[in-house]
Amino acid sequence: MNRRGFVRGSLAAAIGASSLSTSGAFGAILSPSKGVDADINAVTGAGKSVTLKKTAMQELGESLRGNLLLPGHPAYDDARRVLNASISKFPALIVQPRGVADVRRAVDFARESSLLVAVKCGGHSHSGKSTCDGGLMIDLSLMRGVRVDERERIAYVSGGSLLGDMDNETMQFGLVTSAGTVSHTGVAGLTLGGGFGRVARRFGLSLDNLRAVDVVTADGRLVHASADENAELLWGVRGGGGNFGIVTNLEFELHPMQREVVGGTITFPFSEARQLLDFYAEYEASAPDELFLCMGLQNSPQGKAVQFNACYSGPARDAERVFAKVRSAGTPLRDNLRTIDYVALQRSGDVDDPRAVGSYTKSGFSVGLKPKFIDAILDGFGEQPGGSSVFFLYHCGGAINRVAADATAFPHREITLTPLLAVSWPITSDPTAQVAWLRKYWASVEPHMQGFYTNDIIDETQKQVDENYLGNYPRLVALKNQYDPANLFRLNANVIPSV
Ligand SMILES: Cc1cc2nc3c(=O)[nH]c(=O)nc-3n(C[C@H](O)[C@H](O)[C@H](O)COP(=O)(O)OP(=O)(O)OC[C@H]3O[C@@H](n4cnc5c(N)ncnc54)[C@H](O)[C@@H]3O)c2cc1C
């Protein structure tokens, strides 16, 4: 496992990642012969077979400014893939929109044939919710762009943009909003379900900073949602994920922040894991909002270790004092905490090697780190088979907690940690033993958690999803009934319409 930093970045490093964008240097592309040769078979959202007529697909392709890709086209294979190499699905067709008009055409086409629809932004969904077998994939990778209004402190972000696009553009003005820790994650996918990251303890979740959105809803309309217009829809997309439509533009509130922060990793011997967990249990809860301090237990062919991954964005003069406590919590093996450009730190977990590694993850939420939870973590972590694994304790709390549970659709406002367990393997090897170990170990630690992050769902039951929305669930169902009564957008933490 790559040891550059474990804050989800090591997961990316382990998995292998690319921007997942295609060149987009062509117009509407159909089959390899630049035309639709024949009718094709596809599947509906309900899992039934449907025949897509050659003429209908020709019309769709000709109406797009972007691309229509069918199996066999050289660009199809790259477009269908997602970050997790263990997920290999084959959509019947892929639309790569170049703007809102293309998104609307794709949604109309899908609705008219009741097609299964997958929406891909950064392609980071662990469980591969952004791809599908036999349906229509709407791949937003050609819709990237960020405009910053420095005076009003607002960023306007296109629906296919990646986190690195946003950080890079906002930071040129000394402005920032919350974003995750791997720069090739999609802004939309991350934000609509939550958005934890290095400055979320200061400025809230990404979705807390979302002021307005443009959404193409299931009926093909473009709907603007803000505090003044369709406010209930804005409430719903802030935590309800992609349930209500395809978000083509996101408007974020920005905050002034200096470019230079103190960040990086400190690594300790695994033999000190218990004392470090005890330290972390106390320190994570009392840490200043400007400190993001994640803890991770790592196991790789090189051995086991405990690593803290940090970002301190408060006054530079205080950093030494803040980190002295972390440094003295054990016997550091490596310490690379340093003054670093925030955008560079945000990229520090990225990797170039695309999709060579499979992964399986489970995650949950936790309020604090109680002694019995620590016992459970340590009991199971030693027993794993070969390969690489990591148990993160992702730092939440701070401003995330200072929002009412019903202020947005994201209800888990008491959490201080997101525990996440991941195993990864070279895609050529057999992961059966590792995945079995993860499931067994997870069953032993899960009772210490309360709910889970919808962006991380994998192998979920509908009951778990419904209950995880807590008291916000009835409002989400009402919104789903209004904006997507036939459940066109179902590959997500799905809210089932009741009409
Ligand atoms: C390496 C890695 C690092 C991560 N780090 C963090 C982190 O630091 N913080 C954090 O909070 N989470 C993190 N995550 C989890 C991440 O939030 C989710 O995986 C998220 O779904 C990724 O969004 P995406 O656009 O890249 O994914 P995709 O797979 O493209 O999309 C996921 C889902 O989002 C929805 N969606 C995407 N775009 C749109 C759109 N424009 N309109 C409507 N719906 C849309 C769709 O339902 C889609 O299935 C990480 C995941 C990975 C793999």
Side-chain angles (χ1 to χ4, degrees), residues 7-9 11-13 15 17 82-83 118-126 128-131 140 159-163 179-182 184-192 194-198 205-206 241-243 245-248 250 292 394 420 453-456 491-493:
V7 176
R8 298 223 184 207
L11 183 57
I15 291 169
V82 292
L83 181 68
V119 180
K120 185 171 95 166
C121 178
H124 275 212
S125 160
H126 298 297
K129 296 258 185 283
S130 45
T131 186
L140 301 170
S161 305
L162 305 182
L163 299 183
T181 51
V182 173
H184 40 71
T185 310
V187 174
L190 175 123
T191 301
L192 303 180
F196 297 91
R198 291 186 170 95
L205 297 170
S206 301
N243 264 294
I246 300 184
V247 175
T248 55
L250 304 92
F292 168 80
Y394 198 96
L420 184 147
Y453 186 20
T454 52
N455 277 8
D456 286 338
L491 293 180
N492 43 47

Side-chain angles (χ1 to χ4, degrees), residues 266-280:
I266 314 182
T267 308
F268 294 89
F270 194 80
S271 56
E272 295 180 348
R274 182 174 289 278
Q275 82 187 56
L276 292 164
L277 280 161
D278 288 342
F279 156 78
Y280 188 61

Side-chain angles (χ1 to χ4, degrees), residues 16-350:
S18 74
S19 71
L20 301 180
S21 66
T22 55
S23 74
F26 24 68
I29 292 177
L30 305 174
S31 71
S33 56
K34 302 253 181 194
V36 179
D37 300 329
D39 298 351
I40 60 171
N41 293 325
V43 294
T44 67
K48 296 194 175 130
S49 295
V50 61
T51 302
L52 300 177
K53 292 284 176 203
K54 174 181 160 178
T55 47
M57 285 184 293
Q58 257 161 351
E59 275 170 28
L60 173 65
E62 284 161 14
S63 73
L64 297 172
R65 195 161 64 88
N67 305 322
L68 171 62
L69 304 176
L70 299 183
H73 189 277
Y76 170 88
D77 204 47
D78 187 44
R80 77 174 176 85
R81 285 166 183 264
V82 292
L83 181 68
N84 184 350
S86 69
I87 291 166
S88 180
K89 295 192 175 177
F90 295 85
L93 66 173
I94 300 173
V95 169
Q96 294 181 317
R98 281 197 188 274
V100 173
D102 286 354
V103 174
R104 296 179 71 184
R105 284 187 193 108
V107 168
D108 286 343
F109 184 84
R111 187 189 59 252
E112 282 155 16
S113 300
S114 305
L115 280 177
L116 178 65
V117 175
V119 180
K120 185 171 95 166
C121 178
H124 275 212
S125 160
H126 298 297
S127 53
K129 296 258 185 283
S130 45
T131 186
C132 60
D133 278 325
L136 166 65
M137 174 196 263
I138 301 178
D139 168 16
L140 301 170
S141 59
L142 304 185
M143 287 178 59
R144 288 170 63 178
V146 178
R147 182 171 74 79
V148 177
D149 183 333
E150 183 186 7
R151 200 165 56 89
E152 297 294 327
R153 294 184 182 160
I154 298 172
Y156 299 87
V157 181
S158 296
S161 305
L162 305 182
L163 299 183
D165 303 333
M166 186 168 75
D167 283 336
N168 198 45
E169 293 304 314
T170 63
M171 253 303 161
Q172 68 178 310
F173 302 110
L175 296 170
V176 75
T177 198
S178 283
T181 51
V182 173
S183 85
H184 40 71
T185 310
V187 174
L190 175 123
T191 301
L192 303 180
F196 297 91
R198 291 186 170 95
V199 295
R201 290 170 45 78
R202 283 184 76 177
F203 305 126
L205 297 170
S206 301
L207 62 78
D208 293 328
N209 292 279
L210 189 63
R211 300 160 32 101
V213 283
D214 293 336
V215 190
V216 175
T217 52
D219 56 7
R221 281 183 308 136
L222 178 66
V223 180
H224 183 72
S226 68
D228 304 323
E229 200 180 340
N230 300 306
E232 187 69 1
L233 180 58
L234 178 65
W235 176 89
V237 300
R238 295 164 87 193
N243 264 294
F244 310 111
I246 300 184
V247 175
T248 55
N249 189 62
L250 304 92
E251 288 180 34
F252 287 98
E253 183 180 353
L254 301 176
H255 311 270
M257 193 177 93
Q258 77 280 6
R259 257 199 108 103
E260 288 201 332
V261 296
V262 177
T265 57
I266 314 182
T267 308
F268 294 89
F270 194 80
S271 56
E272 295 180 348
R274 182 174 289 278
Q275 82 187 56
L276 292 164
L277 280 161
D278 288 342
F279 156 78
Y280 188 61
E282 195 182 323
Y283 195 55
E284 65 87 6
S286 59
D289 289 354
E290 292 84 0
L291 178 65
F292 168 80
L293 184 71
C294 280
M295 183 173 180
L297 310 183
Q298 301 175 328
N299 184 28
S300 74
Q302 290 80 44
K304 286 188 194 157
V306 177
Q307 195 177 74
F308 289 95
N309 191 310
C311 172
Y312 180 70
S313 60
R317 63 180 178 278
D318 296 337
E320 200 55 43
R321 178 179 49 79
V322 167
F323 285 121
K325 292 186 182 165
V326 185
R327 288 183 165 117
S328 62
T331 320
L333 295 172
R334 285 180 299 279
D335 181 345
N336 85 342
L337 285 176
R338 66 227 185 263
T339 301
I340 180 171
D341 180 284
Y342 175 74
V343 179
L345 184 62
Q346 286 285 81
R347 289 189 192 129
S348 61
D350 297 0

Side-chain angles (χ1 to χ4, degrees), residues 347-361:
R347 289 189 192 129
S348 61
D350 297 0
V351 290
D352 303 323
D353 177 21
R355 297 158 289 188
V357 176
S359 72
Y360 187 83
T361 61

